[in-house]
PDB file of all heavy atoms in Angstrom:
ATOM      1  N   LEU A  38      -4.374   1.247  -6.824  1.00 97.00           N
ATOM      2  CA  LEU A  38      -4.094   2.669  -7.027  1.00 97.00           C
ATOM      3  C   LEU A  38      -2.684   2.904  -7.567  1.00 97.00           C
ATOM      4  O   LEU A  38      -2.427   3.947  -8.162  1.00 97.00           O
ATOM      5  CB  LEU A  38      -4.327   3.446  -5.729  1.00 97.00           C
ATOM      6  CG  LEU A  38      -5.788   3.516  -5.286  1.00 97.00           C
ATOM      7  CD1 LEU A  38      -5.895   4.139  -3.908  1.00 97.00           C
ATOM      8  CD2 LEU A  38      -6.635   4.277  -6.306  1.00 97.00           C
ATOM      9  N   SER A  39      -1.797   1.964  -7.380  1.00 94.00           N
ATOM     10  CA  SER A  39      -0.463   2.109  -7.960  1.00 94.00           C
ATOM     11  C   SER A  39      -0.502   1.862  -9.464  1.00 94.00           C
ATOM     12  O   SER A  39       0.408   2.252 -10.189  1.00 94.00           O
ATOM     13  CB  SER A  39       0.540   1.165  -7.282  1.00 94.00           C
ATOM     14  OG  SER A  39       0.337  -0.173  -7.678  1.00 94.00           O
ATOM     15  N   GLN A  40      -1.570   1.219  -9.930  1.00 94.00           N
ATOM     16  CA  GLN A  40      -1.749   0.954 -11.361  1.00 94.00           C
ATOM     17  C   GLN A  40      -2.435   2.117 -12.062  1.00 94.00           C
ATOM     18  O   GLN A  40      -2.101   2.437 -13.199  1.00 94.00           O
ATOM     19  CB  GLN A  40      -2.582  -0.316 -11.573  1.00 94.00           C
ATOM     20  CG  GLN A  40      -2.103  -1.537 -10.820  1.00 94.00           C
ATOM     21  CD  GLN A  40      -0.694  -1.943 -11.183  1.00 94.00           C
ATOM     22  OE1 GLN A  40      -0.372  -2.091 -12.352  1.00 94.00           O
ATOM     23  NE2 GLN A  40       0.158  -2.091 -10.191  1.00 94.00           N
ATOM     24  N   ALA A  41      -3.424   2.733 -11.369  1.00 96.00           N
ATOM     25  CA  ALA A  41      -4.205   3.828 -11.966  1.00 96.00           C
ATOM     26  C   ALA A  41      -5.073   4.469 -10.893  1.00 96.00           C
ATOM     27  O   ALA A  41      -5.324   3.876  -9.843  1.00 96.00           O
ATOM     28  CB  ALA A  41      -5.098   3.282 -13.083  1.00 96.00           C
ATOM     29  N   GLU A  42      -5.535   5.676 -11.184  1.00 97.00           N
ATOM     30  CA  GLU A  42      -6.469   6.363 -10.286  1.00 97.00           C
ATOM     31  C   GLU A  42      -7.845   5.713 -10.412  1.00 97.00           C
ATOM     32  O   GLU A  42      -8.214   5.251 -11.491  1.00 97.00           O
ATOM     33  CB  GLU A  42      -6.571   7.841 -10.684  1.00 97.00           C
ATOM     34  CG  GLU A  42      -5.268   8.580 -10.604  1.00 97.00           C
ATOM     35  CD  GLU A  42      -5.398  10.032 -11.068  1.00 97.00           C
ATOM     36  OE1 GLU A  42      -6.399  10.385 -11.729  1.00 97.00           O
ATOM     37  OE2 GLU A  42      -4.485  10.808 -10.758  1.00 97.00           O
ATOM     38  N   HIS A  43      -8.597   5.690  -9.293  1.00 98.00           N
ATOM     39  CA  HIS A  43      -9.929   5.073  -9.300  1.00 98.00           C
ATOM     40  C   HIS A  43     -10.869   5.801  -8.356  1.00 98.00           C
ATOM     41  O   HIS A  43     -10.425   6.378  -7.358  1.00 98.00           O
ATOM     42  CB  HIS A  43      -9.858   3.608  -8.838  1.00 98.00           C
ATOM     43  CG  HIS A  43      -9.080   2.716  -9.742  1.00 98.00           C
ATOM     44  ND1 HIS A  43      -9.530   2.315 -10.982  1.00 98.00           N
ATOM     45  CD2 HIS A  43      -7.871   2.132  -9.585  1.00 98.00           C
ATOM     46  CE1 HIS A  43      -8.627   1.526 -11.538  1.00 98.00           C
ATOM     47  NE2 HIS A  43      -7.616   1.397 -10.708  1.00 98.00           N
ATOM     48  N   ASP A  44     -12.166   5.695  -8.652  1.00 97.00           N
ATOM     49  CA  ASP A  44     -13.151   6.188  -7.684  1.00 97.00           C
ATOM     50  C   ASP A  44     -13.493   5.052  -6.729  1.00 97.00           C
ATOM     51  O   ASP A  44     -13.117   3.894  -6.949  1.00 97.00           O
ATOM     52  CB  ASP A  44     -14.397   6.750  -8.379  1.00 97.00           C
ATOM     53  CG  ASP A  44     -15.209   5.708  -9.144  1.00 97.00           C
ATOM     54  OD1 ASP A  44     -15.248   4.531  -8.729  1.00 97.00           O
ATOM     55  OD2 ASP A  44     -15.811   6.069 -10.163  1.00 97.00           O
ATOM     56  N   VAL A  45     -14.184   5.382  -5.652  1.00 97.00           N
ATOM     57  CA  VAL A  45     -14.440   4.392  -4.593  1.00 97.00           C
ATOM     58  C   VAL A  45     -15.304   3.235  -5.092  1.00 97.00           C
ATOM     59  O   VAL A  45     -15.098   2.090  -4.692  1.00 97.00           O
ATOM     60  CB  VAL A  45     -15.021   5.065  -3.323  1.00 97.00           C
ATOM     61  CG1 VAL A  45     -16.439   5.535  -3.545  1.00 97.00           C
ATOM     62  CG2 VAL A  45     -14.935   4.153  -2.126  1.00 97.00           C
ATOM     63  N   GLY A  46     -16.248   3.511  -5.971  1.00 97.00           N
ATOM     64  CA  GLY A  46     -17.104   2.447  -6.500  1.00 97.00           C
ATOM     65  C   GLY A  46     -16.315   1.425  -7.306  1.00 97.00           C
ATOM     66  O   GLY A  46     -16.518   0.210  -7.169  1.00 97.00           O
ATOM     67  N   THR A  47     -15.407   1.900  -8.116  1.00 98.00           N
ATOM     68  CA  THR A  47     -14.556   1.005  -8.912  1.00 98.00           C
ATOM     69  C   THR A  47     -13.661   0.176  -7.997  1.00 98.00           C
ATOM     70  O   THR A  47     -13.477  -1.027  -8.212  1.00 98.00           O
ATOM     71  CB  THR A  47     -13.706   1.825  -9.898  1.00 98.00           C
ATOM     72  OG1 THR A  47     -14.584   2.590 -10.727  1.00 98.00           O
ATOM     73  CG2 THR A  47     -12.835   0.928 -10.760  1.00 98.00           C
ATOM     74  N   LEU A  48     -13.113   0.826  -6.964  1.00 98.00           N
ATOM     75  CA  LEU A  48     -12.267   0.104  -6.014  1.00 98.00           C
ATOM     76  C   LEU A  48     -13.071  -0.946  -5.254  1.00 98.00           C
ATOM     77  O   LEU A  48     -12.584  -2.054  -5.019  1.00 98.00           O
ATOM     78  CB  LEU A  48     -11.612   1.079  -5.037  1.00 98.00           C
ATOM     79  CG  LEU A  48     -10.551   1.996  -5.649  1.00 98.00           C
ATOM     80  CD1 LEU A  48     -10.187   3.114  -4.674  1.00 98.00           C
ATOM     81  CD2 LEU A  48      -9.323   1.200  -6.048  1.00 98.00           C
ATOM     82  N   ALA A  49     -14.295  -0.606  -4.869  1.00 98.00           N
ATOM     83  CA  ALA A  49     -15.149  -1.561  -4.148  1.00 98.00           C
ATOM     84  C   ALA A  49     -15.425  -2.782  -5.023  1.00 98.00           C
ATOM     85  O   ALA A  49     -15.323  -3.925  -4.561  1.00 98.00           O
ATOM     86  CB  ALA A  49     -16.448  -0.887  -3.724  1.00 98.00           C
ATOM     87  N   GLU A  50     -15.750  -2.531  -6.275  1.00 98.00           N
ATOM     88  CA  GLU A  50     -16.027  -3.642  -7.196  1.00 98.00           C
ATOM     89  C   GLU A  50     -14.784  -4.505  -7.403  1.00 98.00           C
ATOM     90  O   GLU A  50     -14.859  -5.737  -7.368  1.00 98.00           O
ATOM     91  CB  GLU A  50     -16.509  -3.084  -8.535  1.00 98.00           C
ATOM     92  CG  GLU A  50     -16.970  -4.145  -9.501  1.00 98.00           C
ATOM     93  CD  GLU A  50     -17.541  -3.540 -10.770  1.00 98.00           C
ATOM     94  OE1 GLU A  50     -18.214  -2.501 -10.701  1.00 98.00           O
ATOM     95  OE2 GLU A  50     -17.287  -4.130 -11.845  1.00 98.00           O
ATOM     96  N   ALA A  51     -13.649  -3.868  -7.583  1.00 98.00           N
ATOM     97  CA  ALA A  51     -12.404  -4.605  -7.852  1.00 98.00           C
ATOM     98  C   ALA A  51     -11.944  -5.432  -6.658  1.00 98.00           C
ATOM     99  O   ALA A  51     -11.333  -6.494  -6.831  1.00 98.00           O
ATOM    100  CB  ALA A  51     -11.296  -3.638  -8.261  1.00 98.00           C
ATOM    101  N   THR A  52     -12.237  -4.965  -5.439  1.00 98.00           N
ATOM    102  CA  THR A  52     -11.793  -5.681  -4.244  1.00 98.00           C
ATOM    103  C   THR A  52     -12.859  -6.620  -3.681  1.00 98.00           C
ATOM    104  O   THR A  52     -12.561  -7.405  -2.787  1.00 98.00           O
ATOM    105  CB  THR A  52     -11.387  -4.698  -3.131  1.00 98.00           C
ATOM    106  OG1 THR A  52     -12.505  -3.880  -2.799  1.00 98.00           O
ATOM    107  CG2 THR A  52     -10.193  -3.854  -3.546  1.00 98.00           C
ATOM    108  N   GLY A  53     -14.087  -6.497  -4.166  1.00 98.00           N
ATOM    109  CA  GLY A  53     -15.169  -7.316  -3.632  1.00 98.00           C
ATOM    110  C   GLY A  53     -15.646  -6.844  -2.262  1.00 98.00           C
ATOM    111  O   GLY A  53     -16.276  -7.595  -1.528  1.00 98.00           O
ATOM    112  N   GLN A  54     -15.359  -5.598  -1.938  1.00 98.00           N
ATOM    113  CA  GLN A  54     -15.758  -5.008  -0.652  1.00 98.00           C
ATOM    114  C   GLN A  54     -16.892  -4.027  -0.886  1.00 98.00           C
ATOM    115  O   GLN A  54     -17.135  -3.587  -2.010  1.00 98.00           O
ATOM    116  CB  GLN A  54     -14.573  -4.261  -0.016  1.00 98.00           C
ATOM    117  CG  GLN A  54     -13.338  -5.097   0.195  1.00 98.00           C
ATOM    118  CD  GLN A  54     -13.541  -6.151   1.262  1.00 98.00           C
ATOM    119  OE1 GLN A  54     -14.172  -5.912   2.281  1.00 98.00           O
ATOM    120  NE2 GLN A  54     -13.000  -7.331   1.026  1.00 98.00           N
ATOM    121  N   SER A  55     -17.564  -3.649   0.189  1.00 98.00           N
ATOM    122  CA  SER A  55     -18.608  -2.631   0.073  1.00 98.00           C
ATOM    123  C   SER A  55     -17.960  -1.258  -0.089  1.00 98.00           C
ATOM    124  O   SER A  55     -16.795  -1.052   0.270  1.00 98.00           O
ATOM    125  CB  SER A  55     -19.499  -2.632   1.319  1.00 98.00           C
ATOM    126  OG  SER A  55     -18.772  -2.139   2.441  1.00 98.00           O
ATOM    127  N   VAL A  56     -18.728  -0.313  -0.605  1.00 98.00           N
ATOM    128  CA  VAL A  56     -18.240   1.061  -0.737  1.00 98.00           C
ATOM    129  C   VAL A  56     -17.873   1.607   0.637  1.00 98.00           C
ATOM    130  O   VAL A  56     -16.857   2.290   0.797  1.00 98.00           O
ATOM    131  CB  VAL A  56     -19.292   1.947  -1.446  1.00 98.00           C
ATOM    132  CG1 VAL A  56     -18.938   3.424  -1.332  1.00 98.00           C
ATOM    133  CG2 VAL A  56     -19.426   1.535  -2.914  1.00 98.00           C
ATOM    134  N   ALA A  57     -18.677   1.300   1.652  1.00 98.00           N
ATOM    135  CA  ALA A  57     -18.402   1.780   3.011  1.00 98.00           C
ATOM    136  C   ALA A  57     -17.066   1.236   3.527  1.00 98.00           C
ATOM    137  O   ALA A  57     -16.278   1.973   4.129  1.00 98.00           O
ATOM    138  CB  ALA A  57     -19.535   1.390   3.955  1.00 98.00           C
TER     139      ALA A  57
END
Side-chain angles (χ1 to χ4, degrees):
L38 292 172
S39 74
Q40 309 300 309
E42 299 177 344
H43 295 288
D44 65 32
V45 71
T47 302
L48 291 168
E50 186 175 322
T52 60
Q54 303 291 321
S55 70
V56 168

